[in-house]
Amino acid sequence: FKMKITPNNVSKILESLNLPEIIKVLNLDIDSYDYFVLEKLLNDFKFQFLILEINPIFPMSVDFAVEYDELFNWSGDSFQGASVSMFYKLLNKNGYSLIWIDRSFVLALNNNLITEEINKIEPNEIDKIINRTLKEKDNYRWQRYKKIRTSSPEDVISIVKEDFKNYKNFYIEKSNFT
């Protein structure tokens, strides 16, 4: 299909494909309201593996998500997706664990497939991994994001509200992670 995916149509599209009861892999990277599309999908389907794009600007201490707006089109800037903290909570609630992180991508595995050989990533490890992979593999972005990623949650929220003042369709709050 070549069409705009939204929280309102994504389940109908997948249902039309006559997929198995448990879908092996979902790769979600739509640079906008990814969180709300994933939330809908996790309510309606089961997956083994999830490959998700996160917005790596945000540390675990801040929840951020672009909210669904029918008229929104991503302009290629940093106003996109959702924070890793938002995805972590959603995944945990739906029976998935993070097992791999690299810069702006995470891999989650259905908890039914977790074995002793598979290490789940705990919340207190996430920022360290994102910071390390940005520094090692994309130092340009690390230099751009470092100030926000290492600031207090209150400062992050203040900076982001100013940077994204031309947008209205987003959620940002201090998370329950420190």
Side-chain angles (χ1 to χ4, degrees):
F1 296 106
K2 185 172 182 163
M3 61 189 312
K4 185 174 184 174
I5 299 297
T6 73
N8 299 331
N9 71 6
V10 68
S11 288
K12 289 178 187 151
I13 292 168
L14 286 186
E15 287 167 0
S16 73
L17 298 175
N18 196 25
L19 296 167
E21 185 176 328
I22 299 176
I23 301 166
K24 289 189 181 200
V25 178
L26 172 71
N27 183 359
L28 182 63
D29 177 0
I30 57 175
D31 296 320
S32 55
Y33 36 81
D34 304 51
Y35 175 87
F36 298 98
V37 168
L38 181 63
E39 182 178 48
K40 178 66 175 157
L41 287 171
L42 292 179
N43 283 332
D44 296 341
F45 299 94
K46 294 287 181 213
F47 303 91
Q48 289 181 349
F49 299 96
L50 300 166
I51 303 165
L52 308 170
E53 181 185 38
I54 61 164
N55 189 326
I57 292 173
F58 299 95
M60 280 293 283
S61 60
V62 175
D63 287 342
F64 171 85
V66 173
E67 296 174 332
Y68 175 61
D69 176 346
E70 186 176 317
L71 302 177
F72 177 76
N73 287 308
W74 185 54
S75 64
D77 62 7
S78 296
F79 185 77
Q80 50 95 10
S83 64
V84 68
S85 62
M86 292 282 289
F87 279 125
Y88 184 90
K89 289 187 257 188
L90 180 63
L91 293 167
N92 189 52
K93 176 179 129 183
N94 286 280
Y96 296 85
S97 294
L98 290 182
I99 61 166
W100 180 83
I101 302 172
D102 189 345
R103 295 164 285 176
S104 58
F105 289 94
V106 299
L107 176 62
L109 185 63
N110 186 300
N111 286 339
N112 294 329
L113 301 172
I114 297 286
T115 64
E116 289 180 13
E117 294 83 30
I118 299 172
N119 295 321
K120 295 191 287 188
I121 298 173
E122 299 300 328
N124 63 339
E125 301 172 90
I126 292 172
D127 279 335
K128 293 174 198 165
I129 295 169
I130 294 172
N131 291 349
R132 180 180 48 78
T133 59
L134 281 168
K135 286 177 194 174
E136 291 174 358
K137 298 178 181 179
D138 194 345
N139 197 48
Y140 173 77
R141 281 202 304 170
W142 168 248
Q143 294 305 318
R144 286 182 36 221
Y145 301 163
K146 177 172 46 174
K147 180 179 184 211
I148 293 176
R149 289 201 48 79
T150 58
S151 293
S152 71
E154 295 79 14
D155 288 345
V156 171
I157 292 168
S158 177
I159 293 166
V160 168
K161 283 184 175 179
E162 178 60 28
D163 287 351
F164 295 160
K165 66 184 172 200
N166 295 329
Y167 298 100
K168 303 293 179 231
N169 60 317
F170 67 96
Y171 169 86
I172 189 165
E173 292 290 334
K174 186 175 175 182
S175 76
N176 58 344
F177 299 107
T178 55

